[in-house]
Amino acid sequence: MGKIAEARVGAFFGELQRNPVIPAVRGPDSALRAALVGTHAAVFVLGGDIFRVLERVKAAGRRPPVCINVDLVGGVSADASGLRFLSRQIEGVISTHRHVIELARETDLLTIHRLFAIDSGAVERGVKLIRRAQPHCVEILPALAYPKVATAYPELLERPVLAGGLLKNQEDISSILAAGAAGVSTSYQKLWRSP
């Protein structure tokens, strides 16, 4: 891991210990503006047009690190050139694809591999991909599945694991964190404060 990536990863996990709730936004709207002025470990951008998103990010000045889901944000290719471009603009990427995670690691981006826990087959395939891609962390969706997945697949816990989706209240967040998650991501703005 390069020095830039090492610094990004260290800062991200350090901030997660102070505030384990990560805002997740769907695009360059008022939610992104609100998330960028907070004191979060990161902001996850899960949709929208890359150029509008980057305009908002640049206009924010001092801000939390931004991680873009390259599978969902339009206007940038998840290839080596697209990831190199992003590495000059933002701090991290999120993807469900092993090759994207591998390429992003080469550009010193923080890498988050998303795993949809829809059934045991999906989790087992995801574990194999994660083992090969070696992301900096994993995000399990939906968050409410995290305790069962972490118990059934302890090899996932070899790296920090986040949980995202379907969180509706502070009790949900507390139970996920108590089960061992390093942090949670949520689009529900009322939860964007530390538990």
Side-chain angles (χ1 to χ4, degrees):
M1 179 167 31
K3 289 187 180 197
I4 294 172
E6 194 173 310
R8 285 179 176 166
V9 171
F12 174 67
F13 292 121
E15 286 300 317
L16 266 183
Q17 290 176 353
R18 287 185 273 289
N19 182 1
V21 179
I22 300 167
V25 298
R26 305 255 181 257
D29 56 9
S30 61
L32 179 55
R33 258 188 251 119
L36 289 171
V37 298
T39 56
H40 309 287
V43 173
F44 289 179
V45 179
L46 309 178
D49 172 88
I50 189 64
F51 299 103
R52 292 191 61 211
V53 168
L54 292 178
E55 283 173 13
R56 287 268 201 264
V57 168
K58 192 172 186 177
R62 187 175 173 164
R63 60 172 175 73
V66 172
C67 299
I68 290 180
N69 188 320
V70 293
D71 303 340
L72 302 175
V73 173
V76 67
S77 180
D79 61 12
S81 296
L83 293 169
R84 236 183 350 268
F85 167 76
L86 285 178
S87 72
R88 296 181 189 118
Q89 315 289 324
I90 55 143
E91 292 73 31
V93 297
I94 304 164
S95 180
T96 59
H97 302 289
R98 176 184 61 87
H99 73 280
V100 172
I101 298 298
E102 291 170 344
L103 288 171
R105 284 184 63 100
E106 293 173 14
T107 62
D108 283 332
L109 287 161
L110 169 68
T111 55
I112 300 164
H113 194 125
R114 274 190 146 187
L115 172 66
F116 290 96
I118 56 174
D119 61 27
S120 58
V123 174
E124 288 166 10
R125 283 187 300 279
V127 168
K128 287 178 187 172
L129 292 174
I130 289 162
R131 201 175 290 136
R132 290 179 65 195
Q134 294 296 306
H136 296 111
C137 70
V138 174
E139 183 181 28
I140 294 175
L141 289 93
L144 301 178
Y146 172 82
K148 290 195 182 287
V149 171
T151 300
Y153 301 91
E155 60 270 32
L156 279 174
L157 306 180
E158 292 170 2
R159 65 193 37 78
V161 179
L162 307 171
L166 298 181
L167 297 168
K168 294 295 178 201
N169 54 52
Q170 205 60 50
E171 292 75 32
D172 289 344
I173 291 175
S174 296
S175 68
I176 299 301
L177 295 174
V184 298
S185 70
T186 180
S187 60
Y188 192 46
Q189 290 188 42
K190 292 181 180 177
L191 298 176
W192 288 359
R193 55 180 171 67
S194 185

